[in-house]
Amino acid sequence: MGIAMFFKSKKSELPDASQMPQIVADSGIQHIAFIMDGNGRWARERGLPREAGHGVGVKAFKKAVTLCRDWGIKTVTTYAFSTENWKRPPQEVKEIMRLLDVYIKEAEDDNDKNRIRYIFLGDKERLGEELRAKCLYLEDLTKDNTLILNIALNYGGRDELVRAVNSLIAEGKTEICEEDISSRLYTCESPDPDLIVRTGGEVRLSNFLLWQSQYSELYFTDCLWPDFDESELIASIVEFSKRKRRYGGV
Ligand code: IPE
Ligand code: IPE
Ligand code: MG
């Protein structure tokens, strides 16, 4: 158990899910982001191939998104695949892309009953023509929905910043301000994340939302992503609600 766990609420002390809409509203949280880590280890612990962990991870992800939406969080961002994850064995990459394909199809089918606007963060070129077209179609289909779900796919924070600066150069700008950069990022439709949750026990950002995380509250848990359930989500939001955000002030 990591030292961070020492400071966290015990499960029995956590509020009930029915209290969460009020806690969310009082905390002021508008945007929660997840670094969904630990799928591979979850599978290995069970003697399963790493890919099996990703499949269960998608289920945990869907549950977390539904709860965030039900509790009133307007923007959710999730790290599905980084620019560095191409280093993984081809069969694992292939399975992650297949799961995404299935997920996109289901999102299309559910568009009438959920009010989610899907935005993919990252360079879609490397995804291949078919998956790229599906991402673009889902973004267009859901563009009038108000609750944003950003899915970081082939996303890298440094790559995003370099692209933003290059697009400003291409426009002929010779001097730029912070707003110029923010407006060229993949996340330009979203406020900066209030809370970034990373599962899987690693305490790092792994190239996620480098610019946007300036004043995000960071929450790390040893829980492996496939085990991230309602009580884990409650624990992370409750911890956020206790943080004092000073933004450099007093
Ligand atoms: C995170 O889980 C999911 C992706 C990066 C796609 P991992 O696959 O990194 O799981 P661990 O960290 O190896 O356990
Ligand atoms: C971060 O997890 C990326 C995603 C969750 C998609 P990684 O497993 O790739 O991160 P590192 O390699 O441990 O930093
Ligand atoms: Mg990992």
Side-chain angles (χ1 to χ4, degrees):
M1 188 182 286
I3 188 84
M5 292 300 283
F6 176 76
F7 298 101
K8 288 177 191 161
S9 315
K10 285 198 216 93
K11 257 189 184 174
S12 57
E13 293 165 359
L14 288 173
D16 188 76
S18 64
Q19 295 170 264
M20 288 312 291
Q22 193 60 50
I23 291 169
V24 161
D26 293 345
S27 76
I29 187 168
Q30 304 276 341
H31 181 178
I32 187 168
F34 299 103
I35 301 176
M36 310 185 291
D37 198 21
N39 292 348
R41 279 165 282 164
W42 184 93
R44 283 287 179 234
E45 279 176 6
R46 287 159 181 77
L48 299 167
R50 292 177 52 82
E51 290 78 7
H54 297 311
V56 182
V58 174
K59 294 197 178 116
F61 162 64
K62 284 180 166 177
K63 247 184 273 163
V65 171
T66 302
L67 291 171
C68 289
R69 195 190 53 188
D70 290 350
W71 297 342
I73 301 177
K74 294 191 179 62
T75 303
V76 177
T77 297
T78 185
Y79 206 3
F81 195 85
S82 74
T83 46
E84 288 70 37
N85 288 149
W86 296 104
K87 293 176 196 159
R88 296 185 177 210
Q91 72 273 14
E92 181 175 346
V93 172
K94 201 170 158 209
E95 175 60 7
I96 292 170
M97 296 304 158
R98 189 193 68 80
L99 288 166
L100 271 157
D101 194 88
V102 172
Y103 179 80
I104 290 171
K105 179 83 190 72
E106 288 171 358
E108 274 174 31
D109 294 344
D110 291 347
N111 185 36
D112 288 339
K113 73 171 179 322
N114 72 32
R115 297 165 292 140
I116 294 177
R117 176 177 175 193
Y118 293 87
I119 298 176
F120 291 92
L121 316 178
D123 177 15
K124 294 186 187 77
E125 293 301 322
R126 200 169 166 186
L127 300 178
E129 196 44 51
E130 209 178 312
L131 184 56
R132 181 176 163 272
K134 287 178 182 175
C135 292
L136 289 170
Y137 178 75
L138 184 64
E139 285 181 333
D140 188 60
L141 179 74
T142 61
K143 66 179 184 305
D144 295 325
N145 296 343
T146 47
L147 302 167
I148 291 182
L149 174 51
N150 294 307
I151 300 177
L153 179 57
N154 190 25
Y155 172 89
R158 286 196 171 192
D159 178 64
E160 179 183 40
L161 279 165
V162 169
R163 278 163 195 277
V165 173
N166 277 329
S167 88
L168 291 162
I169 292 170
E171 285 166 32
K173 293 224 182 221
T174 52
E175 202 181 317
I176 57 172
C177 62
E178 292 189 5
E179 288 72 28
D180 286 329
I181 294 191
S182 294
S183 69
R184 267 36 166 224
L185 299 178
Y186 293 120
T187 50
C188 60
E189 305 281 347
S190 305
D192 287 342
D194 297 296
L195 171 63
I196 298 178
V197 173
R198 181 171 186 148
T199 60
E202 311 296 353
V203 185
R204 55 177 169 255
L205 287 174
S206 301
N207 206 8
F208 189 51
L209 304 182
L210 299 182
W211 177 272
Q212 302 88 331
S213 59
Q214 177 200 33
Y215 269 108
S216 302
E217 296 297 328
L218 308 179
Y219 178 91
F220 299 96
T221 170
D222 291 336
C223 170
L224 303 175
W225 179 259
D227 290 328
F228 191 82
D229 60 6
E230 183 180 82
S231 64
E232 290 287 340
L233 183 61
I234 291 175
S236 67
I237 296 169
V238 165
E239 165 67 21
F240 170 81
S241 72
K242 292 178 187 161
R243 300 271 177 96
K244 299 269 177 293
R245 304 183 82 186
R246 283 185 287 276
Y247 300 98
V250 288

